[in-house]
Amino acid sequence: MTVLDKPVEPERADGPDGAHGTGEAGGGVTGRPGKAGPRPSGAGRRRAPLLLTVGLLVALCVLVPVAGGLGAYPIPTGDVVSSVAHRIGLGGAELARVPESVLWNVRFPRIVLALLIGASLGCAGALMQGVFGNPLAEPSVIGVSLGAAVGAVATIAFGITFLGNWTVSVFAFVAGLITVFVVYAMSRSGGRTEVVTLILTGIAVNAFAGATIGLFIFLAEDTAAVNQIAFWQLGSLAQSTWPKVLAVLPCAVIGLAVAPFYARKLDLLALGERPARHLGVDVERLRVVLILVVALLTAAAVSVSGVIGFVGLVVPHLLRMAAGPGHRFLIPGSALAGAVVLLAADLAARTIVQPAELPLGVLTALIGSPFFFWLLRRTRRKQGGWA
């Protein structure tokens, strides 16, 4: 029997608020995200979600006007606040034609998209880690993001437009959904999801999706289509518009609204499949529903921004370390933190090398990859090896 084959022994179950403890930190033997580092305890643990929520909301309120003002055409932050107040009827004043147009037709669509996509990726990462029972599960790591990009790229390469503005989103959703089910089916063994199998499946799926995108680039005859495909591979919010916001909004809102209702069942699932079934959870149905939600959120993000990796990996894990593994806070907290992180990353991507702009997906990968290496080594050390 290898280390990965050892059965999980539940440590304790303190209720659905997240004080459950099954498996090792960051994954346990089966990679279940039960604990992550030293647990906050007592009053500090109870206050952590509230303090984090307040801190993230404050960061969001600061970042939005700052992001609205910074860029190639600088606008004072006070003018940004004044323009917003004027638009919502709370006083303020309308800006001159040029700054008003830059703010409302260029900056704010980009800010809103960054918030929606960051929230979608953060929430999808928290759900996927709960469903797979593994802290290394993340849409881009296991190939879901690139799989969804295959659907989007196919519509560009072959000029498919029969669903209008929804064509890219629908194809990305279907491709992402297929990818999630393939990863889920291939990484399951003996009723459990093993770390090594999950990562290797992700490597294979990413390689296949990358090759498929390369094939589409080879087959595409239009230079504009090739450039658009390159956009999907690097990830960017540079082409944000209000119609794109409206295209992604329904999927993101539905996914973000549905996810918190499954927090308690995910807490019970973290105890192990058998205990969860004894407590009344239909495990397979829960997994199918949440996989659909993950595909919806990921496809919504990929369809307008391309592949932006590691947000869904880093954000839920940091929150789990700070406030414990309870999904009642982890799911909405990951959405809020993901929105803040992606808005800050996009602000950095378009300002640190002005007048040029860094691809957003490249920037998040540069930051997220070292975190993934650290998480991988930490999980391996706690398990005593992979085999």
Side-chain angles (χ1 to χ4, degrees), residues 43-63:
R45 183 174 185 175
R46 288 191 294 272
R47 286 198 302 267
L50 177 62
L51 293 176
L52 283 169
T53 302
V54 172
L56 290 169
L57 288 174
V58 170
L60 192 63
C61 292
V62 172
L63 268 175

Side-chain angles (χ1 to χ4, degrees), residues 17-305:
D17 289 338
H20 56 277
T22 303
E24 277 297 323
V29 174
T30 58
R32 188 166 296 285
K35 301 182 295 181
R39 290 182 171 189
S41 60
R45 183 174 185 175
R46 288 191 294 272
R47 286 198 302 267
L50 177 62
L51 293 176
L52 283 169
T53 302
V54 172
L56 290 169
L57 288 174
V58 170
L60 192 63
C61 292
V62 172
L63 268 175
V64 169
V66 170
L70 292 180
Y73 186 93
I75 302 172
T77 304
D79 288 355
V80 174
V81 175
S82 177
S83 179
V84 173
H86 176 74
R87 290 281 183 128
I88 60 178
L90 296 177
E94 187 175 1
L95 305 181
R97 185 176 60 84
V98 173
E100 187 81 359
S101 176
V102 169
L103 187 61
W104 289 96
N105 296 326
V106 178
R107 301 271 171 80
F108 276 142
R110 185 164 184 157
I111 290 171
V112 174
L113 265 184
L115 296 177
L116 286 175
I117 293 171
S120 297
L121 293 177
C123 183
L127 291 177
M128 186 165 283
Q129 290 169 16
V131 169
F132 280 89
N134 196 303
L136 299 177
E138 197 263 346
S140 67
V141 172
I142 64 173
V144 178
S145 294
L146 208 54
V150 169
V153 168
T155 65
I156 299 169
F158 299 111
I160 302 171
T161 58
F162 65 93
L163 294 176
N165 290 335
W166 294 93
T167 305
V168 174
S169 298
V170 170
F171 272 69
F173 171 73
V174 173
L177 186 64
I178 293 172
T179 307
V180 171
F181 276 110
V182 168
V183 170
Y184 176 69
M186 295 185 67
S187 61
R188 296 281 291 172
S189 177
R192 291 176 291 130
T193 306
E194 296 177 342
V195 175
V196 173
T197 309
L198 182 69
I199 294 175
L200 292 178
T201 303
I203 292 172
V205 170
N206 273 320
F208 182 79
T212 305
I213 291 174
L215 178 63
F216 288 159
I217 292 175
F218 176 77
L219 295 174
E221 298 179 353
D222 188 359
T223 305
V226 174
N227 293 334
Q228 210 171 347
I229 291 172
F231 158 78
W232 292 105
Q233 292 177 294
L234 297 177
S236 174
L237 295 175
Q239 299 177 17
S240 301
T241 59
W242 286 118
K244 287 189 175 182
V245 173
L246 294 178
V248 73
L249 188 64
C251 295
V253 168
I254 292 172
L256 293 172
V258 168
F261 290 102
Y262 292 90
R264 183 176 177 276
K265 291 184 177 179
L266 283 175
D267 285 338
L268 296 176
L269 183 61
L271 298 172
E273 289 190 19
R274 183 174 298 176
R277 287 194 178 94
H278 286 310
L279 292 169
V281 178
D282 187 338
V283 174
E284 292 309 315
R285 182 180 178 184
L286 174 66
R287 283 200 166 111
V288 170
V289 171
L290 291 184
I291 283 173
L292 287 172
V293 174
V294 168
L296 191 68
L297 290 170
T298 305
V302 171
S303 65
V304 296
S305 68

